[in-house]
PDB file of all heavy atoms in Angstrom:
ATOM      1  N   LEU A   1     106.972  82.721 107.640  1.00 86.00           N
ATOM      2  CA  LEU A   1     108.056  81.932 107.049  1.00 86.00           C
ATOM      3  C   LEU A   1     107.524  80.592 106.545  1.00 86.00           C
ATOM      4  O   LEU A   1     107.937  80.114 105.491  1.00 86.00           O
ATOM      5  CB  LEU A   1     109.181  81.730 108.059  1.00 86.00           C
ATOM      6  CG  LEU A   1     109.948  82.986 108.443  1.00 86.00           C
ATOM      7  CD1 LEU A   1     111.017  82.670 109.474  1.00 86.00           C
ATOM      8  CD2 LEU A   1     110.558  83.662 107.227  1.00 86.00           C
ATOM      9  N   GLY A   2     106.594  79.989 107.284  1.00 84.00           N
ATOM     10  CA  GLY A   2     105.963  78.749 106.829  1.00 84.00           C
ATOM     11  C   GLY A   2     105.147  78.967 105.579  1.00 84.00           C
ATOM     12  O   GLY A   2     105.110  78.127 104.680  1.00 84.00           O
ATOM     13  N   LEU A   3     104.515  80.119 105.492  1.00 79.00           N
ATOM     14  CA  LEU A   3     103.725  80.479 104.318  1.00 79.00           C
ATOM     15  C   LEU A   3     104.612  80.586 103.081  1.00 79.00           C
ATOM     16  O   LEU A   3     104.215  80.200 101.984  1.00 79.00           O
ATOM     17  CB  LEU A   3     103.002  81.795 104.580  1.00 79.00           C
ATOM     18  CG  LEU A   3     102.070  82.334 103.516  1.00 79.00           C
ATOM     19  CD1 LEU A   3     100.929  81.371 103.263  1.00 79.00           C
ATOM     20  CD2 LEU A   3     101.525  83.684 103.944  1.00 79.00           C
ATOM     21  N   LEU A   4     105.827  81.078 103.274  1.00 72.00           N
ATOM     22  CA  LEU A   4     106.753  81.190 102.143  1.00 72.00           C
ATOM     23  C   LEU A   4     107.044  79.825 101.530  1.00 72.00           C
ATOM     24  O   LEU A   4     107.210  79.704 100.327  1.00 72.00           O
ATOM     25  CB  LEU A   4     108.067  81.849 102.592  1.00 72.00           C
ATOM     26  CG  LEU A   4     107.974  83.302 103.020  1.00 72.00           C
ATOM     27  CD1 LEU A   4     109.318  83.781 103.553  1.00 72.00           C
ATOM     28  CD2 LEU A   4     107.522  84.179 101.881  1.00 72.00           C
ATOM     29  N   GLY A   5     107.099  78.793 102.374  1.00 72.00           N
ATOM     30  CA  GLY A   5     107.321  77.445 101.866  1.00 72.00           C
ATOM     31  C   GLY A   5     106.110  76.878 101.154  1.00 72.00           C
ATOM     32  O   GLY A   5     106.239  76.068 100.246  1.00 72.00           O
ATOM     33  N   THR A   6     104.926  77.325 101.540  1.00 72.00           N
ATOM     34  CA  THR A   6     103.685  76.828 100.956  1.00 72.00           C
ATOM     35  C   THR A   6     103.423  77.434  99.581  1.00 72.00           C
ATOM     36  O   THR A   6     102.990  76.749  98.659  1.00 72.00           O
ATOM     37  CB  THR A   6     102.496  77.157 101.883  1.00 72.00           C
ATOM     38  OG1 THR A   6     102.767  76.611 103.167  1.00 72.00           O
ATOM     39  CG2 THR A   6     101.216  76.585 101.350  1.00 72.00           C
ATOM     40  N   LEU A   7     103.680  78.722  99.449  1.00 70.00           N
ATOM     41  CA  LEU A   7     103.397  79.422  98.194  1.00 70.00           C
ATOM     42  C   LEU A   7     104.648  79.473  97.322  1.00 70.00           C
ATOM     43  O   LEU A   7     105.741  79.711  97.806  1.00 70.00           O
ATOM     44  CB  LEU A   7     102.925  80.850  98.488  1.00 70.00           C
ATOM     45  CG  LEU A   7     101.678  80.988  99.355  1.00 70.00           C
ATOM     46  CD1 LEU A   7     101.440  82.447  99.687  1.00 70.00           C
ATOM     47  CD2 LEU A   7     100.471  80.397  98.659  1.00 70.00           C
ATOM     48  N   ARG A   8     104.469  79.271  96.054  1.00 63.00           N
ATOM     49  CA  ARG A   8     105.623  79.351  95.142  1.00 63.00           C
ATOM     50  C   ARG A   8     106.006  80.794  94.845  1.00 63.00           C
ATOM     51  O   ARG A   8     107.144  81.090  94.553  1.00 63.00           O
ATOM     52  CB  ARG A   8     105.299  78.621  93.836  1.00 63.00           C
ATOM     53  CG  ARG A   8     105.317  77.130  94.011  1.00 63.00           C
ATOM     54  CD  ARG A   8     105.134  76.425  92.685  1.00 63.00           C
ATOM     55  NE  ARG A   8     104.200  75.337  92.934  1.00 63.00           N
ATOM     56  CZ  ARG A   8     103.121  75.107  92.233  1.00 63.00           C
ATOM     57  NH1 ARG A   8     102.821  75.840  91.202  1.00 63.00           N
ATOM     58  NH2 ARG A   8     102.334  74.113  92.546  1.00 63.00           N
ATOM     59  N   SER A   9     105.042  81.682  94.876  1.00 60.00           N
ATOM     60  CA  SER A   9     105.289  83.100  94.629  1.00 60.00           C
ATOM     61  C   SER A   9     104.890  83.872  95.884  1.00 60.00           C
ATOM     62  O   SER A   9     103.764  84.313  96.007  1.00 60.00           O
ATOM     63  CB  SER A   9     104.470  83.568  93.429  1.00 60.00           C
ATOM     64  OG  SER A   9     104.603  84.961  93.281  1.00 60.00           O
ATOM     65  N   PRO A  10     105.806  83.994  96.859  1.00 71.00           N
ATOM     66  CA  PRO A  10     105.419  84.578  98.144  1.00 71.00           C
ATOM     67  C   PRO A  10     104.996  86.039  98.046  1.00 71.00           C
ATOM     68  O   PRO A  10     105.605  86.837  97.346  1.00 71.00           O
ATOM     69  CB  PRO A  10     106.675  84.428  98.997  1.00 71.00           C
ATOM     70  CG  PRO A  10     107.792  84.265  98.031  1.00 71.00           C
ATOM     71  CD  PRO A  10     107.214  83.664  96.783  1.00 71.00           C
ATOM     72  N   LEU A  11     103.947  86.352  98.755  1.00 80.00           N
ATOM     73  CA  LEU A  11     103.404  87.696  98.816  1.00 80.00           C
ATOM     74  C   LEU A  11     104.221  88.568  99.768  1.00 80.00           C
ATOM     75  O   LEU A  11     104.396  89.753  99.536  1.00 80.00           O
ATOM     76  CB  LEU A  11     101.954  87.615  99.307  1.00 80.00           C
ATOM     77  CG  LEU A  11     101.237  88.900  99.681  1.00 80.00           C
ATOM     78  CD1 LEU A  11     100.934  89.687  98.419  1.00 80.00           C
ATOM     79  CD2 LEU A  11      99.952  88.574 100.422  1.00 80.00           C
ATOM     80  N   CYS A  12     104.728  87.961 100.847  1.00 85.00           N
ATOM     81  CA  CYS A  12     105.398  88.740 101.869  1.00 85.00           C
ATOM     82  C   CYS A  12     106.515  87.937 102.514  1.00 85.00           C
ATOM     83  O   CYS A  12     106.619  86.731 102.326  1.00 85.00           O
ATOM     84  CB  CYS A  12     104.389  89.182 102.924  1.00 85.00           C
ATOM     85  SG  CYS A  12     103.440  87.832 103.636  1.00 85.00           S
ATOM     86  N   SER A  13     107.333  88.646 103.276  1.00 87.00           N
ATOM     87  CA  SER A  13     108.410  87.996 104.013  1.00 87.00           C
ATOM     88  C   SER A  13     108.630  88.742 105.321  1.00 87.00           C
ATOM     89  O   SER A  13     108.127  89.841 105.515  1.00 87.00           O
ATOM     90  CB  SER A  13     109.696  87.983 103.178  1.00 87.00           C
ATOM     91  OG  SER A  13     110.166  89.303 102.995  1.00 87.00           O
ATOM     92  N   VAL A  14     109.388  88.112 106.185  1.00 91.00           N
ATOM     93  CA  VAL A  14     109.699  88.717 107.478  1.00 91.00           C
ATOM     94  C   VAL A  14     111.108  88.303 107.879  1.00 91.00           C
ATOM     95  O   VAL A  14     111.544  87.196 107.582  1.00 91.00           O
ATOM     96  CB  VAL A  14     108.652  88.305 108.543  1.00 91.00           C
ATOM     97  CG1 VAL A  14     108.712  86.830 108.853  1.00 91.00           C
ATOM     98  CG2 VAL A  14     108.804  89.111 109.797  1.00 91.00           C
ATOM     99  N   ASP A  15     111.819  89.218 108.515  1.00 94.00           N
ATOM    100  CA  ASP A  15     113.146  88.927 109.052  1.00 94.00           C
ATOM    101  C   ASP A  15     112.950  88.471 110.487  1.00 94.00           C
ATOM    102  O   ASP A  15     112.746  89.291 111.388  1.00 94.00           O
ATOM    103  CB  ASP A  15     114.022  90.182 108.976  1.00 94.00           C
ATOM    104  CG  ASP A  15     115.393  89.977 109.579  1.00 94.00           C
ATOM    105  OD1 ASP A  15     115.731  88.837 110.001  1.00 94.00           O
ATOM    106  OD2 ASP A  15     116.146  90.967 109.646  1.00 94.00           O
ATOM    107  N   LEU A  16     112.992  87.172 110.717  1.00 94.00           N
ATOM    108  CA  LEU A  16     112.721  86.621 112.039  1.00 94.00           C
ATOM    109  C   LEU A  16     113.693  87.153 113.086  1.00 94.00           C
ATOM    110  O   LEU A  16     113.309  87.354 114.246  1.00 94.00           O
ATOM    111  CB  LEU A  16     112.772  85.090 111.983  1.00 94.00           C
ATOM    112  CG  LEU A  16     112.163  84.352 113.156  1.00 94.00           C
ATOM    113  CD1 LEU A  16     110.721  84.752 113.398  1.00 94.00           C
ATOM    114  CD2 LEU A  16     112.259  82.852 112.945  1.00 94.00           C
ATOM    115  N   ALA A  17     114.927  87.417 112.703  1.00 95.00           N
ATOM    116  CA  ALA A  17     115.909  87.954 113.656  1.00 95.00           C
ATOM    117  C   ALA A  17     115.517  89.345 114.158  1.00 95.00           C
ATOM    118  O   ALA A  17     115.932  89.756 115.241  1.00 95.00           O
ATOM    119  CB  ALA A  17     117.286  88.001 113.010  1.00 95.00           C
ATOM    120  N   ALA A  18     114.710  90.062 113.390  1.00 95.00           N
ATOM    121  CA  ALA A  18     114.296  91.411 113.778  1.00 95.00           C
ATOM    122  C   ALA A  18     113.069  91.413 114.695  1.00 95.00           C
ATOM    123  O   ALA A  18     112.685  92.453 115.204  1.00 95.00           O
ATOM    124  CB  ALA A  18     114.002  92.249 112.534  1.00 95.00           C
ATOM    125  N   VAL A  19     112.464  90.252 114.902  1.00 97.00           N
ATOM    126  CA  VAL A  19     111.281  90.162 115.765  1.00 97.00           C
ATOM    127  C   VAL A  19     111.770  89.929 117.191  1.00 97.00           C
ATOM    128  O   VAL A  19     111.966  88.796 117.624  1.00 97.00           O
ATOM    129  CB  VAL A  19     110.329  89.039 115.312  1.00 97.00           C
ATOM    130  CG1 VAL A  19     109.096  88.977 116.208  1.00 97.00           C
ATOM    131  CG2 VAL A  19     109.920  89.243 113.860  1.00 97.00           C
ATOM    132  N   GLU A  20     111.973  91.035 117.904  1.00 96.00           N
ATOM    133  CA  GLU A  20     112.513  90.954 119.263  1.00 96.00           C
ATOM    134  C   GLU A  20     111.469  91.250 120.325  1.00 96.00           C
ATOM    135  O   GLU A  20     111.632  90.871 121.482  1.00 96.00           O
ATOM    136  CB  GLU A  20     113.655  91.950 119.421  1.00 96.00           C
ATOM    137  CG  GLU A  20     114.835  91.667 118.496  1.00 96.00           C
ATOM    138  CD  GLU A  20     115.925  92.688 118.634  1.00 96.00           C
ATOM    139  OE1 GLU A  20     115.701  93.844 118.204  1.00 96.00           O
ATOM    140  OE2 GLU A  20     116.973  92.329 119.184  1.00 96.00           O
ATOM    141  N   THR A  21     110.410  91.935 119.959  1.00 97.00           N
ATOM    142  CA  THR A  21     109.385  92.302 120.931  1.00 97.00           C
ATOM    143  C   THR A  21     108.017  91.935 120.379  1.00 97.00           C
ATOM    144  O   THR A  21     107.844  90.861 119.823  1.00 97.00           O
ATOM    145  CB  THR A  21     109.458  93.813 121.267  1.00 97.00           C
ATOM    146  OG1 THR A  21     109.193  94.572 120.081  1.00 97.00           O
ATOM    147  CG2 THR A  21     110.804  94.199 121.846  1.00 97.00           C
ATOM    148  N   ASN A  22     107.059  92.825 120.527  1.00 96.00           N
ATOM    149  CA  ASN A  22     105.681  92.589 120.108  1.00 96.00           C
ATOM    150  C   ASN A  22     105.372  93.164 118.737  1.00 96.00           C
ATOM    151  O   ASN A  22     104.215  93.270 118.361  1.00 96.00           O
ATOM    152  CB  ASN A  22     104.715  93.183 121.140  1.00 96.00           C
ATOM    153  CG  ASN A  22     104.856  94.694 121.253  1.00 96.00           C
ATOM    154  OD1 ASN A  22     105.952  95.245 121.140  1.00 96.00           O
ATOM    155  ND2 ASN A  22     103.751  95.372 121.492  1.00 96.00           N
ATOM    156  N   ILE A  23     106.394  93.536 117.982  1.00 97.00           N
ATOM    157  CA  ILE A  23     106.201  94.165 116.674  1.00 97.00           C
ATOM    158  C   ILE A  23     106.775  93.271 115.582  1.00 97.00           C
ATOM    159  O   ILE A  23     107.903  92.792 115.694  1.00 97.00           O
ATOM    160  CB  ILE A  23     106.881  95.547 116.626  1.00 97.00           C
ATOM    161  CG1 ILE A  23     106.265  96.475 117.687  1.00 97.00           C
ATOM    162  CG2 ILE A  23     106.771  96.161 115.236  1.00 97.00           C
ATOM    163  CD1 ILE A  23     106.979  97.799 117.840  1.00 97.00           C
ATOM    164  N   VAL A  24     105.993  93.065 114.535  1.00 97.00           N
ATOM    165  CA  VAL A  24     106.437  92.311 113.362  1.00 97.00           C
ATOM    166  C   VAL A  24     106.305  93.226 112.147  1.00 97.00           C
ATOM    167  O   VAL A  24     105.217  93.731 111.866  1.00 97.00           O
ATOM    168  CB  VAL A  24     105.608  91.025 113.144  1.00 97.00           C
ATOM    169  CG1 VAL A  24     106.044  90.306 111.878  1.00 97.00           C
ATOM    170  CG2 VAL A  24     105.712  90.108 114.359  1.00 97.00           C
ATOM    171  N   MET A  25     107.409  93.446 111.478  1.00 97.00           N
ATOM    172  CA  MET A  25     107.417  94.226 110.241  1.00 97.00           C
ATOM    173  C   MET A  25     107.390  93.227 109.078  1.00 97.00           C
ATOM    174  O   MET A  25     108.309  92.423 108.931  1.00 97.00           O
ATOM    175  CB  MET A  25     108.654  95.114 110.166  1.00 97.00           C
ATOM    176  CG  MET A  25     108.781  96.078 111.342  1.00 97.00           C
ATOM    177  SD  MET A  25     107.385  97.187 111.550  1.00 97.00           S
ATOM    178  CE  MET A  25     107.772  98.417 110.338  1.00 97.00           C
ATOM    179  N   VAL A  26     106.343  93.288 108.283  1.00 94.00           N
ATOM    180  CA  VAL A  26     106.143  92.360 107.171  1.00 94.00           C
ATOM    181  C   VAL A  26     106.487  93.083 105.877  1.00 94.00           C
ATOM    182  O   VAL A  26     105.891  94.115 105.557  1.00 94.00           O
ATOM    183  CB  VAL A  26     104.678  91.858 107.129  1.00 94.00           C
ATOM    184  CG1 VAL A  26     104.489  90.864 105.991  1.00 94.00           C
ATOM    185  CG2 VAL A  26     104.284  91.253 108.467  1.00 94.00           C
ATOM    186  N   SER A  27     107.455  92.560 105.136  1.00 92.00           N
ATOM    187  CA  SER A  27     107.851  93.147 103.857  1.00 92.00           C
ATOM    188  C   SER A  27     106.950  92.594 102.761  1.00 92.00           C
ATOM    189  O   SER A  27     106.751  91.381 102.658  1.00 92.00           O
ATOM    190  CB  SER A  27     109.305  92.801 103.533  1.00 92.00           C
ATOM    191  OG  SER A  27     110.149  93.354 104.496  1.00 92.00           O
ATOM    192  N   ILE A  28     106.424  93.495 101.944  1.00 89.00           N
ATOM    193  CA  ILE A  28     105.554  93.105 100.837  1.00 89.00           C
ATOM    194  C   ILE A  28     106.416  92.995  99.592  1.00 89.00           C
ATOM    195  O   ILE A  28     107.126  93.925  99.238  1.00 89.00           O
ATOM    196  CB  ILE A  28     104.437  94.149 100.611  1.00 89.00           C
ATOM    197  CG1 ILE A  28     103.691  94.428 101.917  1.00 89.00           C
ATOM    198  CG2 ILE A  28     103.487  93.703  99.513  1.00 89.00           C
ATOM    199  CD1 ILE A  28     103.070  93.232 102.560  1.00 89.00           C
ATOM    200  N   ARG A  29     106.322  91.860  98.938  1.00 79.00           N
ATOM    201  CA  ARG A  29     107.123  91.625  97.737  1.00 79.00           C
ATOM    202  C   ARG A  29     106.321  91.963  96.498  1.00 79.00           C
ATOM    203  O   ARG A  29     105.132  91.694  96.431  1.00 79.00           O
ATOM    204  CB  ARG A  29     107.574  90.175  97.691  1.00 79.00           C
ATOM    205  CG  ARG A  29     108.498  89.836  98.833  1.00 79.00           C
ATOM    206  CD  ARG A  29     108.968  88.432  98.698  1.00 79.00           C
ATOM    207  NE  ARG A  29     109.972  88.166  99.712  1.00 79.00           N
ATOM    208  CZ  ARG A  29     110.651  87.056  99.759  1.00 79.00           C
ATOM    209  NH1 ARG A  29     110.457  86.109  98.872  1.00 79.00           N
ATOM    210  NH2 ARG A  29     111.541  86.879 100.711  1.00 79.00           N
ATOM    211  N   GLY A  30     107.006  92.533  95.527  1.00 72.00           N
ATOM    212  CA  GLY A  30     106.339  92.894  94.277  1.00 72.00           C
ATOM    213  C   GLY A  30     105.548  94.178  94.437  1.00 72.00           C
ATOM    214  O   GLY A  30     105.512  94.785  95.498  1.00 72.00           O
ATOM    215  N   GLY A  31     104.897  94.581  93.401  1.00 64.00           N
ATOM    216  CA  GLY A  31     104.169  95.839  93.425  1.00 64.00           C
ATOM    217  C   GLY A  31     102.715  95.712  93.827  1.00 64.00           C
ATOM    218  O   GLY A  31     102.067  96.691  94.143  1.00 64.00           O
ATOM    219  N   TRP A  32     102.181  94.496  93.799  1.00 70.00           N
ATOM    220  CA  TRP A  32     100.776  94.343  94.105  1.00 70.00           C
ATOM    221  C   TRP A  32     100.557  93.121  94.968  1.00 70.00           C
ATOM    222  O   TRP A  32     101.116  92.065  94.669  1.00 70.00           O
ATOM    223  CB  TRP A  32      99.975  94.200  92.818  1.00 70.00           C
ATOM    224  CG  TRP A  32      98.525  94.465  93.021  1.00 70.00           C
ATOM    225  CD1 TRP A  32      97.928  95.673  93.094  1.00 70.00           C
ATOM    226  CD2 TRP A  32      97.503  93.495  93.195  1.00 70.00           C
ATOM    227  NE1 TRP A  32      96.587  95.524  93.305  1.00 70.00           N
ATOM    228  CE2 TRP A  32      96.299  94.185  93.371  1.00 70.00           C
ATOM    229  CE3 TRP A  32      97.479  92.111  93.243  1.00 70.00           C
ATOM    230  CZ2 TRP A  32      95.084  93.551  93.581  1.00 70.00           C
ATOM    231  CZ3 TRP A  32      96.274  91.472  93.450  1.00 70.00           C
ATOM    232  CH2 TRP A  32      95.085  92.188  93.611  1.00 70.00           C
ATOM    233  N   PRO A  33      99.878  93.197  96.034  1.00 85.00           N
ATOM    234  CA  PRO A  33      99.150  94.359  96.520  1.00 85.00           C
ATOM    235  C   PRO A  33     100.083  95.331  97.236  1.00 85.00           C
ATOM    236  O   PRO A  33     101.158  94.953  97.689  1.00 85.00           O
ATOM    237  CB  PRO A  33      98.170  93.755  97.525  1.00 85.00           C
ATOM    238  CG  PRO A  33      98.919  92.593  98.087  1.00 85.00           C
ATOM    239  CD  PRO A  33      99.717  92.044  96.931  1.00 85.00           C
ATOM    240  N   SER A  34      99.644  96.539  97.360  1.00 90.00           N
ATOM    241  CA  SER A  34     100.383  97.519  98.153  1.00 90.00           C
ATOM    242  C   SER A  34     100.125  97.210  99.627  1.00 90.00           C
ATOM    243  O   SER A  34      99.169  96.501  99.955  1.00 90.00           O
ATOM    244  CB  SER A  34      99.912  98.933  97.825  1.00 90.00           C
ATOM    245  OG  SER A  34      98.604  99.129  98.337  1.00 90.00           O
ATOM    246  N   PRO A  35     100.935  97.736 100.525  1.00 94.00           N
ATOM    247  CA  PRO A  35     100.643  97.536 101.950  1.00 94.00           C
ATOM    248  C   PRO A  35      99.231  97.978 102.328  1.00 94.00           C
ATOM    249  O   PRO A  35      98.553  97.284 103.095  1.00 94.00           O
ATOM    250  CB  PRO A  35     101.716  98.386 102.646  1.00 94.00           C
ATOM    251  CG  PRO A  35     102.875  98.307 101.712  1.00 94.00           C
ATOM    252  CD  PRO A  35     102.241  98.380 100.340  1.00 94.00           C
ATOM    253  N   THR A  36      98.769  99.085 101.783  1.00 94.00           N
ATOM    254  CA  THR A  36      97.415  99.554 102.085  1.00 94.00           C
ATOM    255  C   THR A  36      96.376  98.550 101.605  1.00 94.00           C
ATOM    256  O   THR A  36      95.421  98.234 102.322  1.00 94.00           O
ATOM    257  CB  THR A  36      97.170 100.937 101.452  1.00 94.00           C
ATOM    258  OG1 THR A  36      98.132 101.853 101.989  1.00 94.00           O
ATOM    259  CG2 THR A  36      95.769 101.441 101.734  1.00 94.00           C
ATOM    260  N   GLU A  37      96.547  98.028 100.384  1.00 93.00           N
ATOM    261  CA  GLU A  37      95.602  97.041  99.852  1.00 93.00           C
ATOM    262  C   GLU A  37      95.623  95.756 100.679  1.00 93.00           C
ATOM    263  O   GLU A  37      94.573  95.169 100.957  1.00 93.00           O
ATOM    264  CB  GLU A  37      95.915  96.735  98.392  1.00 93.00           C
ATOM    265  CG  GLU A  37      95.617  97.895  97.461  1.00 93.00           C
ATOM    266  CD  GLU A  37      96.216  97.700  96.074  1.00 93.00           C
ATOM    267  OE1 GLU A  37      97.323  97.125  95.964  1.00 93.00           O
ATOM    268  OE2 GLU A  37      95.561  98.126  95.114  1.00 93.00           O
ATOM    269  N   LEU A  38      96.814  95.311 101.066  1.00 92.00           N
ATOM    270  CA  LEU A  38      96.911  94.108 101.889  1.00 92.00           C
ATOM    271  C   LEU A  38      96.184  94.321 103.217  1.00 92.00           C
ATOM    272  O   LEU A  38      95.425  93.462 103.662  1.00 92.00           O
ATOM    273  CB  LEU A  38      98.366  93.720 102.125  1.00 92.00           C
ATOM    274  CG  LEU A  38      98.576  92.481 103.007  1.00 92.00           C
ATOM    275  CD1 LEU A  38      97.913  91.255 102.391  1.00 92.00           C
ATOM    276  CD2 LEU A  38     100.059  92.243 103.234  1.00 92.00           C
ATOM    277  N   CYS A  39      96.391  95.476 103.838  1.00 95.00           N
ATOM    278  CA  CYS A  39      95.720  95.784 105.107  1.00 95.00           C
ATOM    279  C   CYS A  39      94.208  95.761 104.944  1.00 95.00           C
ATOM    280  O   CYS A  39      93.480  95.247 105.805  1.00 95.00           O
ATOM    281  CB  CYS A  39      96.179  97.132 105.649  1.00 95.00           C
ATOM    282  SG  CYS A  39      97.893  97.134 106.209  1.00 95.00           S
TER     283      CYS A  39
END
């Protein structure tokens, strides 16, 4: 979320309310990079 404020064109986002345990699901915005490429 802090990264989103730093970059004008955010690469990814996260729903902080959905982070309840040890798992974070990161949404990739736009078509590039793909999740595989980002990994």
